[in-house]
Amino acid sequence: MTKKVIVLGEAREGVLRNVSFEAIAAAKKISGGGEVVAILLGDSVQALGNEMIHYGADRVVTVEHPHLKTYTSDGYSQAFMAVVENEKPDAVVFGHTALGKDLSPKVASKLQSGLISDVTDIEGEGDGAVFIRPIFSGKAFEKVKIKEGIVFVTVRPNNIEPLAHDDSRSGDVSSVSVDITNLRTIIKEVVRKSTEGVDLSEAKVIVAGGRGVKSEDGFEPLKELADLLGGAVGASRGACDADYCDYSLQIGQTGKVVTPDLYIAAGISGAIQHLAGMSNSKIIVAINKDPEANIFKVADYGIVGDLFEVIPMLTEEFKKMKSN
Amino acid sequence: MNIYVLVKRTFDTEERIVVSGGKIQEDGAEFIINPYDEYAIEEAIQVRDAHGGEVTVLTMGGEEAEKQLRTALAMGADKAVLINVEDDIDELDQFTSAQILADYLKDKNPDLILAGNVAIDGGSGQVGPRVADLLDINYVTTITKLEINGTQVSIVRDVEGDSEVIETSLPLLVTAQQGLNEPRYPSLPGIMKAKKKPLDEVELDDLDIDEDDVVAKTETIDIYLPPKKEAGRVLEGDISAQVTELVQLLRTEAKVI
């Protein structure tokens, strides 16, 4: 049986996040040939509707309201549930982002449904879809299916391939008006710490530093390399505990779990807790003075040497490559 | 203030995972309080010390979870409750866990409920917000700062590295992010005192809930380990030659650049 699937798109600073397109691709599989309807919530999102269609959505429903400018679980759940009541979907897909993680359990509770979070792959399609997700921070994987009720999943950014962008696709972009009341949370201020704007969980390249970075300033050459490659800077717990950087950069069992195409570990010894956060990266490069460091066991390529010598040389080499 | 902390017993972060027959092998493994729940316990103790009241730690599972509850009592929690579902339910998922916890909490009138933002085993991060929704109270996830003034609450929340400054009010459920505080180790006198603190055991029969109401919505059909990574190549030669070779390899062999 085909399924009607709803996808929640997510925009940041007026631009749709990639995970929205990855969620559409996941929804297509779950639909087994059924309809994929994208929902966009915000104060001004109507203009983004066509982009969701170009990436494979059949139709878009928007809810615009001043209270939806910044995310709150109350505001977004009221808007989302109003659309769900109209659409009566068989399945729902969110991105496993800060917003998706916060909102999905509340929506699942209201739908009295199961929820399979942090899905990295889907086997089969339609009614036969089985969802793969990491457990124990990636030390193992589980295959899960929904036994009963609505199929609800969140997909981890960077794992499910989006469909090809096709600007010849067209579809209906309609808007629904929803009364949003009784917000119990007021966002007074948003302090932006992630300056360069590449989110760690969505980055294709991560340059991460450990205790070997030795100081806050020691992260500078790593930042330079990450910027050049359009990536983000991460850190081990050791570097965060030593106050070289903010905990928001921490990768590991406590901290973020990342799966970039390229992970460059500089001055990171490779404790099992750190490996749990990055070992599923596509390619791992280790740079460490200690040839016995555990990180070399999971690395695809290793250089035994001082990161303060190797990283700037690497930056220069990439610059040369790019100018050719 | 009536404070509850939702706690989960998890594998130690140092444990290697062994799978056989599609299941995680628990024999001989060390168990701990989920690290994010430790931040929640520490915060609960600090809130009680500043505002008065009582901290109850609540978990679900079998009798072996008593050990983690005693640790929480030794840190400074006042009471502990174990909802023992071992004999009644074969498979718990986030839906059923939240149903049971919320049913236990519904007549307890908590002012503040704390939990970890995610458990490092299942990693779903659902149970806290689901419980809040079932109790019809507000929640804020991944918090790094909590200040309470009367019933007004100021919170700093981590959002993918950025911080949101939030105003809300009690009753409230919050989930702890790393950076919220530095959890204390249980002191020796704390451990001695913990032995005498109340630890109640509750079964499903004691709750206002039928076994039929707690049928899992999801089912795990297999568990497996990721494919073993073959040892990589440690490059040789002088450093500048290695760097040149590495960039070549990333371009032509790995094709990630």
Side-chain angles (χ1 to χ4, degrees):
Chain A
M1 206 184 69
T2 60
K3 288 185 192 300
K4 179 177 186 176
V5 190
I6 279 189
V7 174
L8 179 66
E10 196 181 321
R12 193 162 51 187
E13 320 224 320
V15 181
L16 286 166
R17 296 180 69 169
N18 272 335
V19 68
S20 307
F21 313 136
E22 294 161 8
I24 293 173
K28 281 271 182 198
K29 273 197 150 184
I30 297 166
S31 76
E35 190 183 30
V36 174
V37 182
I39 298 186
L40 295 173
L41 310 175
D43 64 335
S44 167
V45 289
Q46 194 71 13
L48 302 173
N50 278 327
E51 188 74 348
M52 293 297 275
I53 288 173
H54 295 161
Y55 274 102
D58 297 307
R59 192 154 64 76
V60 177
V61 178
T62 66
V63 182
E64 294 186 328
H65 194 291
H67 284 345
L68 299 175
K69 186 177 196 304
T70 42
Y71 166 78
T72 60
S73 59
D74 282 338
Y76 270 54
S77 64
Q78 284 170 38
F80 189 82
M81 289 307 293
V83 179
V84 163
E85 264 158 47
N86 290 340
E87 297 286 344
K88 301 194 170 44
D90 305 303
V92 177
V93 184
F94 286 9
H96 197 66
T97 58
L99 187 157
K101 287 181 213 176
D102 193 77
L103 181 64
S104 59
K106 185 179 179 104
V107 169
S109 176
K110 297 205 177 299
L111 294 169
Q112 301 199 345
S113 74
L115 168 59
I116 304 175
S117 324
D118 203 15
V119 167
T120 54
D121 202 3
I122 302 173
E123 281 182 0
E125 52 181 77
D127 288 331
V130 171
F131 303 92
I132 294 170
R133 60 186 300 275
I135 51 175
F136 297 90
S137 315
K139 289 181 198 170
F141 286 84
E142 65 174 352
K143 286 188 184 179
V144 191
K145 66 173 189 188
I146 296 276
K147 281 204 300 191
E148 188 209 325
I150 287 181
V151 175
F152 191 175
V153 303
T154 64
V155 293
R156 177 185 289 200
N158 248 351
N159 281 266
I160 290 165
E161 191 72 23
L163 304 173
H165 184 266
D166 176 1
D167 53 18
S168 70
R169 277 180 62 88
S170 62
D172 186 41
V173 181
S174 61
S175 70
V176 174
S177 121
V178 179
D179 197 18
I180 290 165
T181 56
N182 188 28
L183 298 185
R184 293 172 292 186
T185 301
I186 301 161
I187 316 281
K188 302 288 270 190
E189 192 189 351
V190 180
V191 184
R192 298 245 177 254
K193 288 192 202 162
S194 44
T195 42
E196 273 79 33
V198 182
D199 177 49
L200 213 43
S201 62
E202 282 194 291
K204 298 280 183 202
V205 177
I206 292 175
V207 185
R211 277 193 184 276
V213 170
K214 290 190 185 135
S215 70
E216 203 180 328
D217 291 341
F219 268 98
E220 282 308 317
L222 276 62
K223 254 180 214 150
E224 203 183 321
L225 177 58
D227 284 349
L228 180 72
L229 299 175
V233 170
S236 72
R237 180 170 190 159
C240 299
D241 281 347
D243 261 342
Y244 302 162
C245 63
D246 194 81
Y247 276 110
S248 61
L249 299 187
Q250 189 190 327
I251 291 164
Q253 188 143 19
T254 49
K256 294 196 169 62
V257 179
V258 296
T259 42
D261 291 345
L262 174 60
Y263 189 93
I264 300 175
I268 292 178
S269 61
I272 187 166
Q273 293 91 341
H274 184 73
L275 301 186
M278 46 64 77
S279 61
N280 297 317
S281 303
K282 200 166 153 198
I283 293 290
I284 297 167
V285 171
I287 299 161
N288 203 301
K289 276 201 278 198
D290 174 9
E292 301 300 319
N294 205 36
I295 191 78
F296 287 113
K297 290 191 186 137
V298 298
D300 298 276
Y301 306 111
I303 291 183
V304 178
D306 181 357
L307 73 97
F308 292 109
E309 187 185 355
V310 176
I311 294 280
M313 285 167 86
L314 206 47
T315 307
E316 284 313 308
E317 193 68 26
F318 278 120
K319 272 188 193 159
K320 253 195 266 167
M321 183 194 95
K322 289 202 163 187
S323 64
N324 281 338
Chain B
M1 199 175 298
N2 188 13
I3 306 165
Y4 279 81
V5 188
L6 310 181
V7 172
K8 188 174 185 187
R9 169 183 183 264
T10 58
F11 266 55
D12 194 317
T13 59
E14 296 275 353
E15 287 294 330
R16 292 200 180 272
I17 304 296
V18 179
V19 174
S20 83
K23 288 209 158 59
I24 301 272
Q25 293 308 301
E26 298 194 350
D27 298 348
E30 285 290 323
F31 284 84
I32 55 169
I33 297 173
N34 176 43
Y36 290 101
D37 301 350
E38 285 190 340
Y39 300 113
I41 297 165
E42 174 65 35
E43 198 66 16
I45 293 167
Q46 290 185 19
V47 170
R48 179 205 59 199
D49 290 349
H51 300 273
E54 197 172 65
V55 174
T56 307
V57 286
L58 174 61
T59 196
M60 228 167 39
E63 263 169 27
E64 61 280 359
E66 280 183 17
K67 189 176 168 211
Q68 282 68 41
L69 289 176
R70 288 285 172 209
T71 304
L73 292 170
M75 285 172 74
D78 301 293
K79 295 196 306 189
V81 177
L82 168 66
I83 305 178
N84 193 335
V85 294
E86 214 173 19
D87 299 334
D88 298 314
I89 298 180
D90 295 332
E91 197 171 12
L92 281 168
D93 70 355
Q94 299 83 8
F95 168 80
T96 49
S97 300
Q99 293 281 341
I100 295 165
L101 290 167
D103 192 81
Y104 176 81
L105 289 165
K106 72 181 179 199
D107 57 1
K108 305 293 186 291
N109 295 314
D111 299 299
L112 179 66
I113 304 173
L114 299 101
N117 88 76
V118 72
I120 58 165
D121 50 5
S124 84
Q126 293 180 27
V127 173
R130 276 181 182 265
V131 167
D133 187 68
L134 290 168
L135 296 173
D136 200 20
I137 63 173
N138 194 19
Y139 66 87
V140 181
T141 57
T142 58
I143 72 163
T144 55
K145 195 175 175 192
L146 177 70
E147 273 174 14
I148 297 173
N149 194 344
T151 59
Q152 287 307 109
V153 185
S154 312
I155 287 174
V156 178
R157 169 170 186 251
D158 168 51
V159 186
E160 290 170 357
D162 295 335
S163 296
E164 278 180 2
V165 182
I166 286 175
E167 297 282 325
T168 183
S169 57
L170 300 176
L172 180 70
L173 182 145
V174 293
T175 72
Q177 174 66 304
Q178 187 161 38
L180 178 61
N181 54 43
E182 198 57 55
R184 70 193 69 190
Y185 289 103
S187 65
L188 194 58
I191 293 167
M192 299 310 287
K193 267 194 228 162
K195 290 180 181 166
K196 292 191 181 122
K197 288 181 179 173
L199 191 161
D200 286 342
E201 196 172 316
V202 174
E203 290 189 10
L204 214 53
D205 284 348
D206 303 321
L207 301 177
D208 180 20
I209 207 163
D210 283 335
E211 278 178 47
D212 293 344
D213 293 339
V214 285
V215 177
K217 302 277 185 187
T218 59
E219 183 184 7
T220 297
I221 50 181
D222 193 18
I223 291 176
Y224 58 96
L225 298 176
K228 250 213 150 77
K229 243 189 139 144
E230 281 176 40
R233 265 165 63 189
V234 174
L235 307 181
E236 285 171 4
D238 74 61
I239 293 287
S240 83
Q242 288 188 40
V243 166
T244 310
E245 189 186 357
L246 175 61
V247 171
Q248 278 304 320
L249 287 166
L250 291 175
R251 269 184 78 178
T252 55
E253 189 178 86
K255 297 191 173 73
V256 288
I257 292 294

